[in-house]
Coordinates of all heavy atoms in Angstrom, one line a residue:
M183 N 11.1 -1.0 -23.9 CA 10.1 -1.4 -24.8 C 8.8 -0.9 -24.3 O 8.5 -1.1 -23.1 CB 10.2 -2.9 -25.0 CG 8.9 -3.6 -25.4 SD 9.0 -5.3 -25.6 CE 8.6 -5.9 -24.0
I184 N 7.9 -0.4 -25.1 CA 6.6 -0.1 -24.7 C 5.7 -1.3 -24.6 O 5.6 -2.1 -25.5 CB 5.9 0.9 -25.7 CG1 6.7 2.2 -25.8 CG2 4.4 1.2 -25.3 CD1 6.6 3.0 -24.5
V185 N 5.1 -1.5 -23.4 CA 4.3 -2.7 -23.1 C 2.8 -2.3 -23.4 O 2.1 -3.0 -24.1 CB 4.4 -3.2 -21.7 CG1 3.4 -4.3 -21.4 CG2 5.9 -3.7 -21.5
C186 N 2.4 -1.2 -22.9 CA 1.0 -0.7 -23.0 C 1.0 0.5 -24.0 O 1.4 1.6 -23.6 CB 0.4 -0.4 -21.7 SG -1.3 0.3 -21.8
V187 N 0.5 0.2 -25.2 CA 0.5 1.3 -26.2 C -0.6 2.3 -25.9 O -0.4 3.5 -26.0 CB 0.2 0.7 -27.6 CG1 0.1 1.8 -28.7 CG2 1.3 -0.3 -28.0
C188 N -1.7 1.9 -25.3 CA -2.8 2.8 -25.0 C -2.4 3.8 -24.0 O -2.8 5.0 -24.1 CB -4.0 2.0 -24.5 SG -4.7 0.8 -25.6
R189 N -1.6 3.4 -23.0 CA -1.2 4.3 -21.9 C 0.2 4.7 -22.0 O 0.8 5.4 -21.1 CB -1.5 3.7 -20.5 CG -2.9 3.4 -20.2 CD -3.6 4.7 -19.9 NE -5.0 4.4 -19.6 CZ -5.8 5.3 -18.9 NH1 -5.3 6.4 -18.6 NH2 -7.0 4.9 -18.6
R190 N 0.9 4.2 -23.0 CA 2.4 4.4 -23.2 C 3.2 4.1 -21.9 O 3.9 5.0 -21.4 CB 2.6 5.8 -23.7 CG 4.0 6.0 -24.3 CD 4.1 7.4 -24.8 NE 5.5 7.6 -25.1 CZ 6.0 8.2 -26.2 NH1 5.2 8.8 -27.0 NH2 7.3 8.4 -26.3
V191 N 3.1 2.9 -21.5 CA 3.8 2.4 -20.3 C 4.9 1.4 -20.8 O 4.6 0.5 -21.5 CB 2.9 1.7 -19.3 CG1 3.6 1.2 -18.1 CG2 1.8 2.7 -18.9
S192 N 6.1 1.7 -20.3 CA 7.2 0.8 -20.7 C 7.5 -0.3 -19.7 O 7.0 -0.3 -18.6 CB 8.5 1.6 -20.9 OG 9.0 2.0 -19.6
D193 N 8.2 -1.3 -20.2 CA 8.6 -2.4 -19.3 C 9.5 -1.9 -18.1 O 9.4 -2.4 -17.0 CB 9.3 -3.5 -20.1 CG 10.5 -3.1 -20.8 OD1 10.7 -1.9 -21.0 OD2 11.4 -4.0 -21.1
R194 N 10.3 -0.9 -18.4 CA 11.1 -0.3 -17.3 C 10.3 0.3 -16.2 O 10.6 0.2 -15.1 CB 12.1 0.7 -17.9 CG 13.2 0.1 -18.7 CD 14.1 1.2 -19.2 NE 15.2 0.6 -20.0 CZ 16.1 1.3 -20.6 NH1 16.2 2.6 -20.4 NH2 17.0 0.6 -21.3
E195 N 9.2 1.0 -16.6 CA 8.3 1.6 -15.6 C 7.6 0.5 -14.8 O 7.6 0.6 -13.5 CB 7.2 2.5 -16.3 CG 7.5 3.9 -16.4 CD 6.3 4.7 -16.9 OE1 6.0 4.5 -18.1 OE2 5.8 5.5 -16.2
I196 N 7.2 -0.5 -15.4 CA 6.5 -1.6 -14.7 C 7.5 -2.3 -13.8 O 7.2 -2.5 -12.6 CB 5.9 -2.6 -15.7 CG1 4.8 -1.9 -16.5 CG2 5.4 -3.8 -15.0 CD1 4.3 -2.7 -17.7
A197 N 8.7 -2.5 -14.3 CA 9.8 -3.2 -13.5 C 10.1 -2.3 -12.3 O 10.3 -2.9 -11.2 CB 11.0 -3.4 -14.4
R198 N 10.2 -1.0 -12.5 CA 10.6 -0.1 -11.4 C 9.5 -0.2 -10.3 O 9.9 -0.3 -9.1 CB 10.7 1.3 -11.9 CG 11.2 2.3 -10.8 CD 11.6 3.6 -11.4 NE 10.6 4.1 -12.4 CZ 9.6 4.9 -12.1 NH1 9.3 5.3 -10.9 NH2 8.7 5.3 -13.0
H199 N 8.3 -0.2 -10.6 CA 7.2 -0.3 -9.6 C 7.2 -1.7 -9.0 O 6.9 -1.8 -7.8 CB 5.8 0.0 -10.3 CG 5.6 1.4 -10.5 ND1 6.2 2.1 -11.5 CD2 4.8 2.3 -9.8 CE1 5.8 3.4 -11.4 NE2 4.9 3.5 -10.4
A200 N 7.5 -2.8 -9.8 CA 7.5 -4.1 -9.2 C 8.7 -4.3 -8.3 O 8.5 -4.9 -7.2 CB 7.6 -5.1 -10.4
H201 N 9.8 -3.7 -8.6 CA 11.0 -3.8 -7.7 C 10.7 -3.0 -6.4 O 11.3 -3.3 -5.3 CB 12.2 -3.2 -8.3 CG 12.9 -4.1 -9.3 ND1 13.3 -5.4 -9.0 CD2 13.1 -3.9 -10.7 CE1 13.8 -5.9 -10.1 NE2 13.7 -5.1 -11.1
A202 N 9.8 -2.0 -6.4 CA 9.4 -1.3 -5.2 C 8.4 -2.1 -4.4 O 8.1 -1.7 -3.3 CB 8.8 0.0 -5.6
G203 N 8.0 -3.3 -4.8 CA 7.1 -4.1 -4.0 C 5.7 -4.1 -4.4 O 4.9 -4.7 -3.7
L204 N 5.3 -3.4 -5.5 CA 3.9 -3.3 -5.8 C 3.5 -4.6 -6.6 O 4.2 -5.1 -7.3 CB 3.7 -2.1 -6.7 CG 3.4 -0.8 -6.0 CD1 4.7 -0.3 -5.3 CD2 2.9 0.3 -7.0
S205 N 2.2 -5.0 -6.3 CA 1.6 -6.1 -7.0 C 1.2 -5.6 -8.4 O 1.1 -4.4 -8.7 CB 0.5 -6.7 -6.2 OG -0.6 -5.7 -6.2
F206 N 0.7 -6.6 -9.2 CA 0.2 -6.2 -10.6 C -1.0 -5.3 -10.4 O -1.1 -4.3 -11.2 CB -0.2 -7.5 -11.4 CG -0.8 -7.1 -12.7 CD1 0.0 -6.6 -13.8 CD2 -2.2 -7.1 -12.9 CE1 -0.6 -6.3 -15.0 CE2 -2.7 -6.7 -14.1 CZ -2.0 -6.3 -15.1
D207 N -1.9 -5.6 -9.5 CA -3.1 -4.8 -9.3 C -2.7 -3.4 -8.9 O -3.4 -2.4 -9.4 CB -4.0 -5.4 -8.3 CG -4.6 -6.7 -8.8 OD1 -4.7 -6.9 -10.0 OD2 -5.1 -7.5 -7.9
E208 N -1.8 -3.2 -8.1 CA -1.3 -1.9 -7.7 C -0.7 -1.1 -8.8 O -0.9 0.1 -9.0 CB -0.4 -2.0 -6.5 CG -1.1 -2.5 -5.2 CD -0.1 -2.9 -4.1 OE1 1.0 -3.4 -4.5 OE2 -0.4 -2.8 -2.9
I209 N 0.1 -1.8 -9.6 CA 0.8 -1.2 -10.8 C -0.3 -0.8 -11.8 O -0.2 0.3 -12.4 CB 1.8 -2.2 -11.4 CG1 3.0 -2.4 -10.4 CG2 2.3 -1.7 -12.7 CD1 3.9 -3.5 -10.8
Q210 N -1.3 -1.7 -12.0 CA -2.3 -1.4 -12.9 C -3.1 -0.1 -12.5 O -3.4 0.8 -13.3 CB -3.3 -2.6 -13.0 CG -4.4 -2.4 -14.0 CD -5.2 -3.7 -14.1 OE1 -5.5 -4.3 -13.1 NE2 -5.7 -4.0 -15.3
F211 N -3.3 0.0 -11.2 CA -4.0 1.2 -10.7 C -3.1 2.5 -10.8 O -3.6 3.5 -11.2 CB -4.3 1.0 -9.2 CG -5.0 2.2 -8.6 CD1 -6.4 2.4 -8.8 CD2 -4.4 3.1 -7.8 CE1 -7.0 3.5 -8.3 CE2 -5.0 4.2 -7.2 CZ -6.3 4.4 -7.5
E212 N -1.8 2.4 -10.5 CA -0.9 3.5 -10.6 C -0.6 4.0 -12.0 O -0.6 5.1 -12.3 CB 0.4 3.2 -9.9 CG 0.4 3.1 -8.4 CD 0.2 4.4 -7.8 OE1 0.8 5.4 -8.2 OE2 -0.6 4.5 -6.8
L213 N -0.4 3.0 -12.9 CA 0.1 3.3 -14.3 C -1.0 3.3 -15.3 O -0.9 3.8 -16.4 CB 1.2 2.4 -14.7 CG 2.5 2.5 -13.8 CD1 3.5 1.5 -14.3 CD2 3.1 3.9 -13.8
G214 N -2.1 2.6 -15.0 CA -3.2 2.4 -16.0 C -2.9 1.3 -17.0 O -3.7 1.2 -18.0
V215 N -1.9 0.5 -16.8 CA -1.6 -0.5 -17.7 C -2.7 -1.6 -17.7 O -3.3 -1.9 -16.7 CB -0.2 -1.2 -17.4 CG1 -0.2 -1.9 -16.1 CG2 0.3 -2.1 -18.5
A216 N -3.0 -2.0 -19.0 CA -4.1 -3.1 -19.2 C -5.4 -2.6 -18.7 O -6.2 -3.4 -18.2 CB -3.7 -4.4 -18.5
T217 N -5.7 -1.3 -18.8 CA -7.1 -0.9 -18.4 C -7.9 -0.4 -19.6 O -9.1 -0.1 -19.4 CB -6.9 0.3 -17.5 OG1 -6.2 1.4 -18.1 CG2 -6.3 -0.1 -16.2
Q218 N -7.4 -0.4 -20.8 CA -8.2 0.0 -22.0 C -8.4 -1.2 -22.8 O -9.5 -1.9 -22.7 CB -7.5 1.1 -22.7 CG -7.7 2.4 -22.0 CD -7.3 3.6 -22.8 OE1 -6.1 3.7 -23.2 NE2 -8.2 4.5 -23.2
C219 N -7.6 -1.6 -23.8 CA -7.9 -2.7 -24.7 C -7.5 -4.0 -24.1 O -8.1 -5.0 -24.4 CB -7.1 -2.5 -26.0 SG -5.4 -2.8 -25.9
G220 N -6.6 -4.1 -23.1 CA -6.2 -5.3 -22.4 C -5.2 -6.2 -23.1 O -4.9 -7.3 -22.6
R221 N -4.8 -5.8 -24.3 CA -3.8 -6.7 -25.0 C -2.5 -6.8 -24.4 O -1.8 -7.8 -24.6 CB -3.7 -6.2 -26.5 CG -4.9 -6.3 -27.3 CD -4.7 -5.8 -28.7 NE -5.9 -5.8 -29.4 CZ -6.1 -5.2 -30.6 NH1 -5.1 -4.5 -31.1 NH2 -7.3 -5.2 -31.2
C222 N -2.1 -5.9 -23.5 CA -0.8 -5.9 -22.9 C -0.8 -6.6 -21.6 O 0.3 -6.8 -21.0 CB -0.3 -4.5 -22.7 SG -1.4 -3.5 -21.6
E223 N -1.9 -7.1 -21.1 CA -2.0 -7.6 -19.7 C -1.0 -8.8 -19.5 O -0.3 -8.8 -18.5 CB -3.4 -8.0 -19.4 CG -3.5 -8.5 -17.9 CD -4.9 -8.8 -17.5 OE1 -5.9 -8.5 -18.2 OE2 -5.1 -9.3 -16.4
S224 N -1.0 -9.7 -20.4 CA -0.1 -10.9 -20.2 C 1.4 -10.5 -20.2 O 2.1 -11.0 -19.3 CB -0.3 -12.0 -21.2 OG 0.0 -11.5 -22.5
C225 N 1.8 -9.6 -21.0 CA 3.1 -9.1 -21.1 C 3.5 -8.3 -19.8 O 4.5 -8.5 -19.2 CB 3.4 -8.2 -22.3 SG 5.1 -7.6 -22.4
A226 N 2.6 -7.5 -19.4 CA 2.8 -6.7 -18.1 C 2.9 -7.6 -16.9 O 3.7 -7.4 -16.0 CB 1.6 -5.7 -18.0
R227 N 2.0 -8.6 -16.9 CA 2.1 -9.6 -15.8 C 3.4 -10.4 -15.8 O 4.0 -10.6 -14.7 CB 0.9 -10.6 -15.8 CG -0.4 -9.9 -15.4 CD -1.5 -11.0 -15.3 NE -2.8 -10.4 -15.0 CZ -3.2 -10.2 -13.7 NH1 -2.4 -10.5 -12.7 NH2 -4.4 -9.6 -13.5
D228 N 3.9 -10.7 -16.9 CA 5.2 -11.4 -17.1 C 6.3 -10.5 -16.5 O 7.2 -11.0 -15.8 CB 5.5 -11.7 -18.5 CG 4.6 -12.9 -19.0 OD1 4.0 -13.6 -18.2 OD2 4.6 -13.0 -20.3
V229 N 6.3 -9.2 -16.8 CA 7.3 -8.3 -16.3 C 7.2 -8.2 -14.8 O 8.3 -8.3 -14.1 CB 7.2 -6.9 -16.9 CG1 8.1 -5.9 -16.3 CG2 7.4 -6.9 -18.4
V230 N 6.0 -8.1 -14.3 CA 5.9 -8.0 -12.8 C 6.4 -9.3 -12.2 O 7.1 -9.3 -11.1 CB 4.4 -7.8 -12.4 CG1 4.2 -7.9 -10.9 CG2 4.0 -6.4 -12.9
A231 N 6.0 -10.5 -12.7 CA 6.5 -11.8 -12.2 C 8.0 -11.9 -12.2 O 8.6 -12.4 -11.3 CB 5.8 -12.9 -13.0
R232 N 8.6 -11.4 -13.3 CA 10.1 -11.5 -13.4 C 10.8 -10.6 -12.4 O 11.9 -10.9 -11.9 CB 10.6 -11.2 -14.8 CG 10.5 -12.3 -15.7 CD 11.1 -12.0 -17.1 NE 10.1 -11.4 -17.9 CZ 10.2 -10.2 -18.6 NH1 11.4 -9.6 -18.6 NH2 9.2 -9.8 -19.3
C233 N 10.1 -9.5 -12.0 CA 10.8 -8.5 -11.1 C 10.3 -8.7 -9.7 O 10.8 -8.0 -8.8 CB 10.4 -7.1 -11.6 SG 11.1 -6.7 -13.2
G234 N 9.5 -9.7 -9.4 CA 9.2 -10.1 -8.0 C 8.1 -9.2 -7.4 O 8.1 -9.0 -6.2
G235 N 7.3 -8.6 -8.2 CA 6.2 -7.8 -7.7 C 5.2 -8.6 -6.8 O 5.0 -9.8 -7.0
G236 N 4.7 -8.0 -5.8 CA 3.8 -8.7 -4.9 C 4.4 -9.3 -3.7 O 3.7 -9.8 -2.8
Q237 N 5.7 -9.4 -3.7 CA 6.4 -9.9 -2.5 C 6.6 -8.8 -1.5 O 6.7 -7.7 -1.8 CB 7.8 -10.5 -3.0 CG 7.7 -11.6 -3.9 CD 9.1 -12.1 -4.4 OE1 10.1 -11.5 -4.1 NE2 9.1 -13.1 -5.2
Q238 N 6.7 -9.2 -0.3 CA 6.9 -8.3 0.8 C 8.3 -7.7 0.7 O 9.3 -8.4 0.5 CB 6.7 -8.9 2.2 CG 5.3 -9.2 2.5 CD 5.2 -9.6 3.9 OE1 6.1 -9.9 4.6 NE2 3.9 -9.7 4.4
V239 N 8.4 -6.4 0.8 CA 9.7 -5.7 0.8 C 10.3 -5.7 2.2 O 11.5 -6.0 2.4 CB 9.6 -4.3 0.3 CG1 10.9 -3.6 0.3 CG2 9.1 -4.3 -1.1
A240 N 9.5 -5.5 3.2 CA 10.0 -5.4 4.6 C 8.8 -5.8 5.5 O 7.7 -5.6 5.2 CB 10.4 -4.0 5.0
A241 N 9.2 -6.4 6.6 CA 8.2 -6.8 7.6 C 8.6 -6.3 9.0 O 9.8 -6.3 9.3 CB 8.0 -8.3 7.6
I242 N 7.7 -5.9 9.8 CA 8.0 -5.4 11.1 C 7.5 -6.5 12.1 O 6.3 -6.9 12.0 CB 7.3 -4.1 11.4 CG1 7.8 -3.0 10.4 CG2 7.5 -3.7 12.9 CD1 7.1 -1.7 10.5
H243 N 8.3 -6.9 12.9 CA 8.0 -7.9 13.9 C 8.1 -7.3 15.3 O 9.1 -6.8 15.7 CB 8.9 -9.2 13.9 CG 8.8 -9.9 12.6 ND1 7.8 -10.7 12.2 CD2 9.6 -9.9 11.5 CE1 8.0 -11.1 11.0 NE2 9.1 -10.7 10.5
K244 N 7.0 -7.4 16.0 CA 7.0 -6.8 17.4 C 6.9 -8.0 18.3 O 6.0 -8.8 18.3 CB 5.8 -5.9 17.5 CG 5.8 -5.1 18.8 CD 4.7 -4.1 18.9 CE 4.7 -3.3 20.2 NZ 3.7 -2.4 20.3
E245 N 7.9 -8.1 19.2 CA 8.0 -9.2 20.1 C 7.0 -9.1 21.2 O 6.4 -10.0 21.7 CB 9.4 -9.3 20.7 CG 10.4 -9.7 19.7 CD 11.8 -9.8 20.3 OE1 11.9 -10.0 21.5 OE2 12.8 -9.7 19.5
E246 N 6.7 -7.9 21.6 CA 5.8 -7.6 22.8 C 4.4 -7.6 22.3 O 4.0 -6.8 21.5 CB 6.1 -6.3 23.4 CG 5.5 -6.1 24.7 CD 6.0 -4.8 25.4 OE1 7.2 -4.6 25.5 OE2 5.1 -4.0 25.7
A247 N 3.6 -8.6 22.7 CA 2.2 -8.7 22.3 C 1.2 -8.0 23.2 O 0.0 -7.9 22.9 CB 1.8 -10.2 22.1
V248 N 1.6 -7.6 24.4 CA 0.8 -7.1 25.4 C 0.6 -5.6 25.1 O 1.5 -4.8 25.0 CB 1.4 -7.2 26.8 CG1 0.5 -6.6 27.9 CG2 1.6 -8.7 27.1
P249 N -0.7 -5.2 24.9 CA -0.9 -3.7 24.6 C -0.6 -2.9 25.8 O -0.9 -3.3 26.9 CB -2.4 -3.7 24.2 CG -3.0 -4.9 24.7 CD -1.9 -5.9 24.8
Q250 N 0.0 -1.7 25.6 CA 0.3 -0.8 26.6 C -0.8 0.3 26.7 O -1.2 0.8 25.7 CB 1.7 -0.2 26.4 CG 2.8 -1.2 26.3 CD 3.0 -1.9 27.6 OE1 2.9 -1.3 28.7 NE2 3.3 -3.2 27.6
P251 N -1.2 0.6 28.0 CA -2.2 1.7 28.1 C -1.6 3.0 27.7 O -0.4 3.3 27.8 CB -2.5 1.6 29.6 CG -1.4 1.0 30.3 CD -0.8 0.0 29.2
I252 N -2.5 3.9 27.2 CA -2.1 5.2 26.9 C -2.6 6.2 27.9 O -3.8 6.2 28.3 CB -2.7 5.6 25.5 CG1 -2.2 4.6 24.4 CG2 -2.4 7.0 25.1 CD1 -2.9 4.8 23.1
Q253 N -1.7 7.0 28.4 CA -2.0 8.0 29.4 C -2.5 9.3 28.7 O -1.8 9.9 28.0 CB -0.8 8.3 30.3 CG -1.1 9.3 31.4 CD -2.1 8.7 32.4 OE1 -2.1 7.6 32.8 NE2 -3.0 9.6 32.9
L254 N -3.8 9.7 29.0 CA -4.3 10.9 28.4 C -3.9 12.1 29.3 O -3.8 12.0 30.5 CB -5.8 10.8 28.3 CG -6.4 9.7 27.4 CD1 -7.9 9.7 27.5 CD2 -5.9 10.0 26.0
A255 N -3.7 13.2 28.6 CA -3.3 14.4 29.4 C -4.5 14.9 30.2 O -5.7 14.7 29.8 CB -3.0 15.5 28.4
P256 N -4.3 15.5 31.4 CA -5.4 15.9 32.2 C -6.3 16.9 31.5 O -7.5 16.9 31.8 CB -4.7 16.6 33.4 CG -3.3 16.0 33.4 CD -3.0 15.7 32.0
S257 N -5.8 17.8 30.7 CA -6.7 18.7 30.0 C -7.7 18.0 29.1 O -8.8 18.4 28.9 CB -5.9 19.7 29.2 OG -5.1 19.0 28.2
I258 N -7.3 16.9 28.5 CA -8.2 16.1 27.7 C -9.3 15.4 28.6 O -10.5 15.4 28.3 CB -7.5 15.0 26.9 CG1 -6.6 15.7 25.9 CG2 -8.5 14.1 26.2 CD1 -5.7 14.8 25.1
L259 N -8.9 14.9 29.7 CA -9.8 14.2 30.6 C -10.8 15.2 31.2 O -12.0 14.8 31.4 CB -9.1 13.5 31.7 CG -8.2 12.3 31.3 CD1 -7.4 11.8 32.5 CD2 -9.0 11.2 30.7
E260 N -10.4 16.4 31.4 CA -11.3 17.4 32.0 C -12.2 18.2 31.0 O -13.1 18.8 31.4 CB -10.5 18.4 32.8 CG -9.8 17.8 34.0 CD -8.7 18.7 34.6 OE1 -8.5 19.8 34.1 OE2 -8.1 18.3 35.5
S261 N -11.9 18.0 29.7 CA -12.6 18.7 28.7 C -14.0 18.2 28.5 O -14.3 17.0 28.6 CB -11.9 18.5 27.4 OG -12.6 19.0 26.3
K262 N -15.0 19.1 28.3 CA -16.4 18.7 28.1 C -16.5 18.1 26.7 O -17.5 17.4 26.5 CB -17.3 19.9 28.3 CG -17.2 20.5 29.7 CD -18.5 21.0 30.1 CE -18.5 21.7 31.4 NZ -18.4 20.9 32.6
A263 N -15.6 18.4 25.8 CA -15.7 17.8 24.4 C -15.4 16.3 24.4 O -15.8 15.6 23.6 CB -14.7 18.6 23.5
W264 N -14.6 15.9 25.5 CA -14.3 14.5 25.6 C -15.4 13.8 26.2 O -15.7 13.9 27.4 CB -13.0 14.3 26.4 CG -12.5 12.9 26.4 CD1 -12.6 12.0 27.4 CD2 -11.7 12.3 25.4 NE1 -12.0 10.9 27.1 CE2 -11.4 11.0 25.9 CE3 -11.2 12.7 24.2 CZ2 -10.7 10.1 25.1 CZ3 -10.5 11.8 23.4 CH2 -10.2 10.5 23.9
N265 N -16.2 13.0 25.5 CA -17.4 12.3 26.0 C -17.1 11.0 26.6 O -17.0 10.0 26.0 CB -18.4 12.1 24.8 CG -19.7 11.6 25.3 OD1 -20.0 11.7 26.5 ND2 -20.6 11.2 24.4
C266 N -16.9 11.0 28.0 CA -16.6 9.8 28.7 C -17.1 9.9 30.1 O -17.3 11.0 30.6 CB -15.1 9.5 28.7 SG -14.1 10.7 29.5
S267 N -17.3 8.8 30.7 CA -17.7 8.8 32.1 C -16.6 8.3 33.0 O -15.6 7.8 32.5 CB -18.9 7.9 32.2 OG -18.6 6.5 31.9
A268 N -16.8 8.4 34.3 CA -15.8 8.0 35.2 C -15.6 6.5 35.1 O -14.5 6.0 35.3 CB -16.2 8.4 36.7
S269 N -16.6 5.7 34.8 CA -16.5 4.3 34.7 C -15.6 3.9 33.5 O -14.9 2.9 33.6 CB -17.9 3.6 34.6 OG -18.5 4.0 33.4
S270 N -15.7 4.7 32.4 CA -14.9 4.3 31.3 C -13.4 4.7 31.5 O -12.5 4.1 30.9 CB -15.4 5.0 30.0 OG -15.2 6.4 30.1
L271 N -13.2 5.7 32.4 CA -11.8 6.0 32.7 C -11.1 4.9 33.5 O -9.9 4.8 33.5 CB -11.7 7.4 33.4 CG -12.1 8.6 32.6 CD1 -12.2 9.8 33.5 CD2 -11.2 8.8 31.5
A272 N -11.9 4.2 34.3 CA -11.3 3.2 35.2 C -10.9 2.0 34.3 O -10.1 1.2 34.8 CB -12.4 2.7 36.2
A273 N -11.4 1.8 33.1 CA -11.1 0.7 32.3 C -9.8 0.8 31.7 O -8.8 0.9 31.8 CB -12.1 0.5 31.1

């Protein structure tokens, strides 16, 4: 069914984006739904709500909270383009 007549956006398109984890605002930006006359906004929001849009799809948990230092290559440290002093290298 066409939800947004102005942009010709169907409920299936909205549902597909919502299942991918996009929120209503993100779907509105991507598809242009509810950006012209606005009559379809409540229906589009209902489709997103039914399909679980805005929920996290995946989360990454890192157990190690201590930042690890990065070792720069000697050619970068010796380069004149790299603006740093000996005191900043010690940090």
Side-chain angles (χ1 to χ4, degrees):
M183 152 181 95
I184 297 293
V185 172
C186 179
V187 176
C188 298
R189 296 288 184 161
R190 196 176 169 141
V191 179
S192 71
D193 58 340
R194 288 182 181 182
E195 265 186 294
I196 295 169
R198 185 169 44 90
H199 282 74
H201 284 300
L204 275 69
S205 67
F206 175 78
D207 293 337
E208 293 167 328
I209 293 170
Q210 187 177 36
F211 181 78
E212 288 290 319
L213 301 178
V215 65
T217 58
Q218 282 190 297
C219 75
R221 292 182 185 166
C222 62
E223 185 174 351
S224 63
C225 182
R227 285 186 184 273
D228 288 344
V229 173
V230 172
R232 276 187 274 131
C233 296
Q237 297 175 355
Q238 286 187 350
V239 176
I242 299 174
H243 298 284
K244 189 173 182 182
E245 292 181 22
E246 192 174 307
V248 179
Q250 299 296 320
I252 299 172
Q253 181 65 40
L254 297 175
S257 60
I258 294 175
L259 294 174
E260 295 167 359
S261 171
K262 298 218 187 277
W264 187 260
N265 188 13
C266 64
S267 63
S269 62
S270 66
L271 291 175

